[in-house]
Amino acid sequence: MKFDIVTIFPRMVQAGLAEGVVGRGIEGGLLDVQVHDLRDYTTDRHRSVDDVPYGGGPGMVMKPEPLARAVEDIRARRGVPDAVVLLTPTGRTFTQAEAVRMTRLKHVVLLCGRYEGMDERVRTGVATEELSIGDYVLSGGEVAALVVVDAISRLIPGVVGDEQSVAEDSFTRGLLDYPHYTRPAEFAGQRVPDVLLSGHHADVRRWRKKAALARTLERRPEMLNTAALDDEERALLDEIRKETNNERD
Ligand code: 6GU
């Protein structure tokens, strides 16, 4: 999959792409990611990417022309993208479902917003969609672009070594992940649950299912309204609800 990221902080983005799963995906040729310095698409002596807002008010606004030129250059040199995504806190929220949807795309351009905002004509004339990564404000879209590239990339077959671990992730199944343990069997006075040391695979599987459900009920109960639960999971959830009721009584 091909990504082009347009930013005023190319080194910040490059650093975030160099390590881990995304770094290996690039090295292995499964990901083709290019970072573009927005200032390379300016035409004035000061390489200006922002200007004062029409109508007055605080802060600066990102100029439309350098962004439009950057996308034009990417089209000419890298091909016509399937999506041009503006990263902004006013965008639609990026979720795991959105990441899954975007794995169908072959080429995505990511535009990193900065300052108080972006000239509205970037949204209407250059970008094809707008994404936010959550309900908080970042000082720019760079970290958000890295989040989007990471979440999509690890769903591409071969980018993460172990496909099974991706399939079992939190959110992929609509539930939070179960707790994980490794050696030692006792740490800081806390023992690993006996069932995990028992070697009974069916019991381990059931324990993990129940633990994932209990954790989801405790921390993100609204996820249980949309999770696709099988018969065993519904029965386990009833068990958990009875147990927590008994603890309260
Ligand atoms: Cl995409 N950009 C900025 N600046 N802040 C954000 C965001 C994006 N998503 C959440 N907060």
Side-chain angles (χ1 to χ4, degrees), residues 6-45:
V6 181
T7 169
I8 61 167
F9 294 125
R11 283 176 306 175
M12 177 179 175
V13 176
Q14 285 291 6
L17 295 169
E19 313 277 342
V21 163
V22 172
R24 278 198 306 276
I26 293 169
E27 276 172 34
L30 289 166
L31 299 172
D32 171 3
V33 190
Q34 282 195 8
V35 182
H36 308 267
D37 186 343
L38 183 62
R39 291 192 197 279
D40 291 344
Y41 298 96
T42 57
T43 51
D44 65 313
R45 201 159 58 83

Side-chain angles (χ1 to χ4, degrees), residues 162-232:
D162 186 348
E163 306 270 309
Q164 194 56 35
S165 79
V166 173
E168 287 178 10
D169 278 333
S170 289
F171 294 103
T172 299
R173 290 208 49 254
L175 295 176
L176 298 183
D177 205 358
Y178 54 78
H180 299 267
Y181 295 90
T182 186
R183 287 178 285 189
E186 184 173 335
F187 170 72
Q190 300 179 83
R191 281 199 56 77
V192 173
D194 283 333
V195 60
L196 300 180
L197 310 176
S198 70
H200 292 111
H201 297 301
D203 290 355
V204 168
R205 200 186 51 80
R206 196 181 127 88
W207 181 88
R208 284 178 171 162
K209 253 188 179 182
K210 190 170 176 182
L213 287 162
R215 187 177 255 189
T216 308
L217 180 65
E218 166 88 20
R219 300 182 185 179
R220 297 289 304 276
E222 82 286 0
M223 287 175 71
L224 294 171
N225 299 331
T226 46
L229 303 182
D230 59 27
D231 289 345
E232 185 190 24

